[in-house]
Amino acid sequence: MTEEPTTSDPSEKAVGPSRLLGLLLAMAMFVLVVDTSLMNVSISSVVRDLDTTVSGVQAAIALEALVSAAFILIGGKVGDLIGRKRAYVLGLLGYAVGASAMALAQSLTAIIIFWAVLGGIGASLLLPAMQSLIHGNFEGAAQKKVYALVGAAAAIAAAVGPLLGGFITTYLSWRVGFVLEVVIIAVVLSGIKLVRDVPYTGPRVIDLVGAALSVLGMGGIVLGILVWQEGGESVGALLILGAIAMAGLAYWLVRRKRQGKPTLLDPDLFHSKVFRLGITGQMLQQIALGGTMIALPIYLQMVLEYNAMQAGLSLAPLSLSMFAVALLAGKKAGDRRPSSIIRWGFVLLTIGIAALIPIVPRAEFGWGLVIPLVIAGSGLGLLVSQLNNYTLAPIEEERISEAASVNSAAGSFGLSFGLAFAGAIMLATLSLTFTSMAESSTVLPPAEQQQVAQVLEDDAEVMSNTQLEQLLVDQPPDIQDEIIRINTDARPLALQIALLIPILAGLVGLFNSFRMRRIPEPAAPPSGQGPAGD
């Protein structure tokens, strides 16, 4: 395998080994997304094998997300300075070290250092570098197809991850899943000679104040959301700190730009209405995906009492339709306006999730969700096939890493927010509903009503009826039956309320897509020119 010539001839970017390169980039994205899914479904096994605590493993997962989001803007700038191809390789190596540590770890400390911290930094390097390399190695229809392929890989990894992790954990070992990650990364790195580096000719000075503000801003907001999800304290202070730091970052960037000094990222990027609308759409799509992927697995495992494999199989219509439609849209989009495809994506996504609302209390098996999941998955497939290309199309190569970093940060924030907000709303609704039903019960004595209310206030949790029966084994039969009845009635309502979060994100995304339709379609600018303005 030989190095591709670094030619500027556009025709040479989309032929020959480029199809293999697109596949390798998609494999890298798959590993990036499936990594956390493997960790999530392996929590109980990791706790048992390493003799640690659930809260400790959850803290490691939260730390990985926090490090990735906090350093992603800096990761894009580092890629500018050391080379996007080199940043891509270092990001993959960081993930490989983290996965190897998971396969060999004998303590939680090793997981925190190598998987959470080093892996999170690897993600912050990998995401913006990958988007920069796609932008620089492909053009026109080929670029759209690769964006669609990589987006589809991310989407299917998010949906299939629990199934894959459940199978490996159940029948093999959770360590095997991380060994397979290392193997995939080795395959991806074996094709690194296919990658044409994307040069950066801008200023090579690091904006340390901007970097610090970006870490405080993104870190504070994401940490606040994660603490909120876990029911911790000081959520408001963390969110305020993050918001102040982000506002400070915006002021600092504009001030530095006016003084003619190097900045962490160019604030002129946001002069492009296409770019602003694109990153907004990216964030809303990820909020919808995150909200859906927290509500549906809980429904399948806690209400229908499915194991991880059964839940993954039930979610397969969502992932498979997402993957198929993303590939099909990438190939068949033709001259259709990306904004039109994005609009239909949000329409189908919203309709599909809304159709789940009346089904949730009535479905007795997972396949009852097939039609809504196919509709929602088709909508997500349209979105992942177009949003990255729409957002980054008007950005010239010299600034693509900055733009890709912001785009990735918007997606990471949206996914975290969707997961945390939908989960928090679901638990709050469950607590209020369960408490209200218990207090109005004619079967439960006042002492039992107060005990139920207090337990839920201290530790609200979605529980299956089987789990609840085990906790109530010492209670009289009539008390057991009444609490089981209340649990059976309260859970679907809580899940329905949680699904309103992705529905709302879909509706806002639909409104955003109509704004896209009112402006000219993005087109790649000639080299050296800035992004299109308003």
Side-chain angles (χ1 to χ4, degrees), residues 281 284-285 288 325 338-356 371-384 387 502-517:
L284 292 167
Q285 174 217 335
V325 171
S339 58
S340 295
I341 299 176
I342 291 170
R343 180 183 60 184
W344 279 108
F346 278 114
V347 167
L348 292 175
L349 172 63
T350 305
I351 291 174
I353 298 175
L356 292 171
I371 294 177
L373 289 182
V374 168
I375 295 172
S378 298
L380 286 168
L382 292 177
L383 292 173
V384 300
L387 271 172
I503 291 174
L504 180 60
L507 290 173
V508 177
L510 180 60
F511 172 77
N512 192 62
S513 70
F514 279 102
R515 296 178 64 197
M516 292 178 177
R517 289 279 296 172

Side-chain angles (χ1 to χ4, degrees), residues 114-407:
F114 294 104
W115 182 80
V117 176
L118 191 56
I121 293 174
S124 70
L125 287 170
L126 184 58
L127 276 170
M130 184 185 301
Q131 295 196 32
S132 298
L133 292 174
I134 294 173
H135 199 82
N137 282 264
F138 301 90
E139 284 189 350
Q143 187 181 94
K144 292 182 180 179
K145 289 178 182 178
V146 174
Y147 271 127
L149 180 63
V150 171
I156 199 168
V160 172
L163 172 62
L164 181 63
F167 176 84
I168 291 174
T169 301
T170 301
Y171 297 108
L172 299 171
S173 166
W174 58 273
R175 297 181 188 272
V176 173
F178 294 98
V179 171
L180 293 177
E181 282 190 24
V182 176
V183 172
I184 295 174
I185 291 172
V187 172
V188 173
L189 288 173
S190 71
I192 195 62
K193 289 186 177 181
L194 294 174
V195 178
R196 182 183 71 90
D197 203 359
V198 182
Y200 173 74
T201 58
R204 309 189 70 80
V205 178
I206 298 178
D207 176 10
L208 295 178
V209 174
L213 288 172
S214 72
V215 171
L216 287 174
M218 292 297 296
I221 292 174
V222 174
L223 182 60
I225 294 171
L226 293 172
V227 170
W228 178 31
Q229 183 181 16
E230 297 300 322
E233 299 179 352
S234 303
V235 173
L238 288 169
L239 293 175
I240 291 172
L241 173 64
I244 291 174
M246 290 302 291
L249 175 62
Y251 171 78
W252 175 259
L253 294 176
V254 172
R255 179 187 174 192
R256 293 271 291 184
K257 179 72 174 180
R258 288 174 179 171
Q259 294 173 346
K261 298 179 180 178
T263 58
L264 178 67
L265 59 90
D266 191 342
D268 287 349
L269 285 171
F270 296 93
H271 289 173
S272 169
K273 186 177 290 186
V274 167
F275 184 71
R276 295 199 306 269
L277 292 175
I279 60 173
T280 301
Q282 183 79 260
M283 181 179 67
L284 292 167
Q285 174 217 335
Q286 293 296 325
I287 290 175
L289 179 61
T292 303
M293 294 310 295
I294 190 67
L296 290 183
I298 288 178
Y299 168 76
L300 292 166
Q301 295 182 57
M302 296 299 119
V303 177
L304 300 185
E305 302 195 25
Y306 282 3
N307 60 31
M309 278 196 61
Q310 292 171 319
L313 286 171
S314 298
L315 293 172
L318 179 74
S319 60
L320 294 178
S321 59
M322 194 187 317
F323 183 71
V325 171
L327 288 180
L328 185 63
K331 293 179 179 179
K332 303 295 185 182
D335 296 330
R336 295 178 180 86
R337 296 188 65 181
S339 58
S340 295
I341 299 176
I342 291 170
R343 180 183 60 184
W344 279 108
F346 278 114
V347 167
L348 292 175
L349 172 63
T350 305
I351 291 174
I353 298 175
L356 292 171
I357 298 291
I359 293 177
V360 163
R362 298 174 176 85
E364 297 180 355
F365 51 90
W367 288 104
L369 311 177
V370 168
I371 294 177
L373 289 182
V374 168
I375 295 172
S378 298
L380 286 168
L382 292 177
L383 292 173
V384 300
S385 75
Q386 300 296 318
L387 271 172
N388 280 334
N389 188 65
Y390 176 91
T391 305
L392 301 177
I395 311 297
E396 79 280 6
E397 288 189 7
E398 182 176 307
R399 296 162 66 187
I400 188 62
S401 186
E402 294 175 316
S405 298
V406 177
N407 189 44

